[in-house]
């Protein structure tokens, strides 16, 4: 039996996050069916991503705002499926409102710098007193304990510290910053894993806990998945550029009109690669007849592939490889990739929709790349305007009357 509810239906998340790492975590929780109440500071214009150029306007994509309904593409992507409540957490009266929200919640997610929530009086120790079952997830650059000095956690800083910048490119190249903000995107994945595990534990024990995830630890743990030191000690270079010699044939190569990738380290795939180049007889050549031999002669094998492909179109190259059962694919640009029917039909990539102006061609965002057999995952509800749901949440969820809401607004709490 199928259901239209997400697997987290009935769970409420208080979202204290801003920028990318935190909002991406709560975006995933929203896509799984949780009710996400995004708490934004009205004194600062809400989430910082609301002020990221470009903006969707009535006339399409613009570098600057042209009207009050304009919304940044960043917010359109990261705010989907959420409700927005304004609350100035620096105001002394705000804590009672925040704690009322916590009493109705299952999860709190924050990505303040280490120590900020304690100074505001809304850290895990304070929240646990209000709701012992709460799962309180912190995403920070270096862990909730912080580090000496400023410890600013920008994605490029995390990439630099993690070592990942030295895993791409050719030997001797300058460090390469990944164009995708992987530090900002890996940490929320681990945060969601930890949050869901803690929610399951809370349901079994009745007791919540603090889930502490660092951007540096998350990205460095992935770097450590490859034993780079050990590989270097036996002669494999740390940075190998377009190819991976220890998995020959393996890497990206240039055709006459583009680039393509091959992943063919097994005997069967390697034989297919040689056959595609009309060099099938070389499968018995001692240089290429075994995996270890191909690794020892990777330069020769990769050079042969590069020379063969250089005078042929990508279509011709890929057709030959496909006929011989070799795993290969074109290297696509991002515009082509996000329009692939495979990912759009599975809603792993979805159109971004402005709440008033609708969808403009070319604007796509991440969906949830998980397909359930029974439950649903949905990010079709557009991002909210700043404070759009303040009155509804305070009245319907917390039971505040109109007079109290207006008093809080006059006092600068909301």
């Amino acid at each position: 039996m199928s259901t239209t509810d997400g697997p987290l239906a009935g769970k409420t998340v208080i979202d204290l996050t801003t920028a990318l790492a935190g909002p991406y975590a709560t975006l995933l929780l929203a896509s799984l069916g949780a009710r996400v109440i995004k708490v934004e500071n009205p004194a600062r214009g809400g989430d910082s991503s609301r002020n990221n150029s470009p903006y969707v306007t009535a006339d399409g994509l613009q570098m600057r705002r042209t009207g009050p309904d304009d919304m940044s593409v960043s917010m359109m992507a990261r705010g989907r499926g959420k409700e927005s409540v304004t609350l100035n957490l620096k105001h002394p009266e705000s804590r009672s409102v925040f704690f009322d929200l916590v009493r109705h919640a299952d999860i709190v997610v924050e990505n303040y710098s280490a120590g900020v929530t304690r100074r505001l009086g809304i850290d895990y120790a304070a929240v646990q007193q209000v709701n012992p079952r709460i799962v309180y997830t912190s995403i920070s650059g270096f862990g909730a304990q912080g580090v000496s000095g400023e410890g600013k956690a920008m994605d490029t800083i995390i990439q630099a510290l993690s070592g990942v910048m030295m895993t791409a490119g050719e030997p001797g190249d300058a460090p390469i910053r990944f164009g995708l903000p992987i530090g900002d995107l890996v940490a929320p994945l681990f945060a969601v894993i930890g949050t869901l595990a803690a929610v399951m534990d809370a349901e079994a024990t009745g007791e919540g806990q603090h889930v502490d995830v660092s951007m540096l630890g998350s990205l460095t743990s992935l770097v450590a998945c490859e034993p780079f030191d050990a590989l270097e000690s036996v002669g494999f270079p740390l940075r190998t550029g377009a190819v991976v010699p220890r998995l020959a044939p393996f890497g990206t190569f240039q055709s006459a009109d583009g680039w393509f990738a091959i992943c063919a380290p097994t005997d069967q795939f390697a034989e297919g690669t040689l056959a595609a180049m009309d060099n099938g007889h070389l499968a018995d050549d001692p240089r290429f007849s075994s995996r270890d031999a191909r690794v020892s002669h990777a330069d020769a094998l990769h050079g042969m592939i590069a020379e063969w492909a250089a005078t042929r179109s990508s279509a011709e190259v890929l057709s030959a490889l496909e006929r011989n059962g070799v795993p290969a694919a074109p290297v696509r640009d991002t515009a082509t990739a996000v329009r692939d029917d495979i990912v759009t039909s599975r809603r792993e990539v979805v159109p971004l929709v402005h709440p008033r102006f609708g969808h403009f061609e070319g604007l796509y965002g991440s969906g949830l790349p998980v397909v359930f057999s029974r439950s649903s995952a949905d990010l079709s509800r557009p991002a909210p305007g700043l404070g759009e749901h303040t009155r509804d949440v305070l009245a319907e969820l917390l039971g505040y009357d109109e007079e109290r809401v207006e008093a809080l607004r006059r006092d600068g709490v909301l």
Side-chain angles (χ1 to χ4, degrees), residues 134-150:
I134 203 77
V135 172
Y136 189 104
T137 298
S138 298
I139 304 171
S140 61
F142 308 98
Q145 79 286 345
V147 293
S148 59
E150 290 296 316

Side-chain angles (χ1 to χ4, degrees), residues 346-412:
R346 290 167 55 87
R347 300 192 60 76
E348 294 156 332
V349 173
V350 296
L352 291 182
V353 179
H354 188 284
R356 285 179 58 84
F357 307 139
H359 170 67
F360 288 88
E361 177 53 36
L363 281 180
Y364 293 86
S366 57
L368 183 72
V370 179
V371 178
F372 297 98
S373 65
R374 184 170 55 81
S375 301
S376 68
D378 180 48
L379 282 173
S380 61
R381 187 168 51 151
L386 177 62
E388 180 179 335
H389 302 94
T390 301
R391 189 180 301 275
D392 291 342
V393 169
L394 297 188
E396 296 173 12
L397 182 65
L398 305 187
Y400 290 8
D401 59 29
E402 186 73 17
E403 183 178 352
R404 184 175 181 186
V405 173
E406 285 305 312
L408 290 169
R409 198 181 299 281
R410 284 196 306 272
D411 291 342

